[in-house]
Amino acid sequence: MKAAFSVSAVALAGALTACGGGGGGGASGGGMPMLPLAPVAAPSVAPAPAPAAPARDCSVTLYGDSILNGSTFSSVRVAEPPAAAIQRLRPAYRVVDRSVAGDNAQQRLPAMLNEGIDTNIVLLEQGLNDAGNSLPYEAPLRAMVQRVKALGKKPIVTGISQARVAVANRDAYDAIARRVAAEEGATFADWGAVPVVAADMADDVHPAQAQSTRLVEQMVKALDRVAPECAN
């Protein structure tokens, strides 16, 4: 078997020599000239897709008293309550109105801690009833703000609106609202900065339509700071 393998190898070598496989590289050697290789194009790379714009979540839940509810001592609501005015001024918003006439922070806290909230922003407007009746305000307000943050929502705290008559503790409670907002990282809507026009009040403490709209405009400024993408 080994001899046969050697003979075959010699025969194969002879055959290659006869065909010119063992000669030089010149034309007279009979070898086939090498053709140049065609250039290989680099693979095309598709451009990376542009990042998708973040989805807007233009939604707000309102917790507050009769001022935010748009009602008066006689339980008559203004023609365009604040919830409706927000939607007119900022049509992108879905507004969930949980305001209750006569509400205060201590009274609202237990229910608020257990309610589901599915909006991006939560606006808290209590303080006037709390101040006028010397009710606990800072602790329940802070607890509500912390609840909003724990849910991954964005809190807004309003200051306390001005009245046509002096309201006991109004300035002190307004300062509490401002401080709690600053300490908890909430946005502050400065209702106290909206001047009272006596002719635009429904009674001593409740706004008629024009005054109510001014307060809503101040709230909308706060909404725009929290979600500028929802301003249009």
Side-chain angles (χ1 to χ4, degrees):
M1 195 71 179
K2 184 175 181 180
F5 179 81
S6 299
V7 171
S8 300
V10 172
L12 178 59
L16 288 173
T17 301
C19 293
S28 60
M32 181 177 292
M34 297 295 291
L35 297 177
L37 295 176
V40 179
S44 60
V45 179
R56 294 194 308 172
D57 186 351
C58 306
S59 56
V60 60
T61 297
L62 308 179
Y63 285 98
D65 56 27
S66 55
I67 311 295
L68 190 59
N69 187 256
S71 58
T72 68
F73 279 134
S74 60
S75 298
V76 175
R77 296 185 83 184
V78 295
E80 185 183 57
I86 291 172
Q87 290 182 310
R88 174 178 60 81
L89 294 169
R90 294 294 181 268
Y93 270 90
R94 174 174 64 91
V95 181
V96 179
D97 187 3
R98 292 180 178 170
S99 60
V100 179
D103 206 15
N104 61 71
Q106 186 178 43
Q107 176 176 288
R108 181 52 41 199
L109 177 61
M112 190 267 185
L113 292 179
N114 291 287
E115 287 178 333
I117 299 174
D118 67 351
T119 60
N120 182 40
I121 302 170
V122 180
L123 186 141
L124 304 170
E125 180 274 323
Q126 277 96 5
L128 194 61
N129 292 318
D130 314 68
N133 294 286
S134 300
L135 297 173
Y137 180 55
E138 179 172 351
L141 176 63
R142 191 182 296 276
M144 286 193 286
V145 172
Q146 291 175 347
R147 163 70 171 168
V148 173
K149 294 193 301 181
L151 292 173
K153 314 299 182 181
K154 300 168 184 175
I156 295 176
V157 174
T158 73
I160 301 174
S161 58
Q162 302 280 358
R164 196 164 59 186
V165 297
V167 175
N169 304 311
R170 186 258 157 212
D171 291 349
Y173 278 48
D174 184 67
I176 290 172
R178 186 185 298 272
R179 177 164 50 81
V180 168
E183 292 174 353
E184 295 294 337
T187 300
F188 184 69
D190 192 358
W191 269 15
V194 180
V196 171
V197 178
D200 293 337
M201 297 292 287
D203 52 48
D204 284 343
V205 298
H206 294 97
Q209 185 63 72
Q211 186 72 11
S212 177
T213 300
R214 291 187 192 101
L215 293 173
V216 173
E217 289 169 349
Q218 192 77 334
M219 283 196 302
V220 165
K221 292 177 183 177
L223 288 171
D224 289 350
R225 294 199 302 274
V226 174
E229 69 276 12
C230 297
N232 298 314

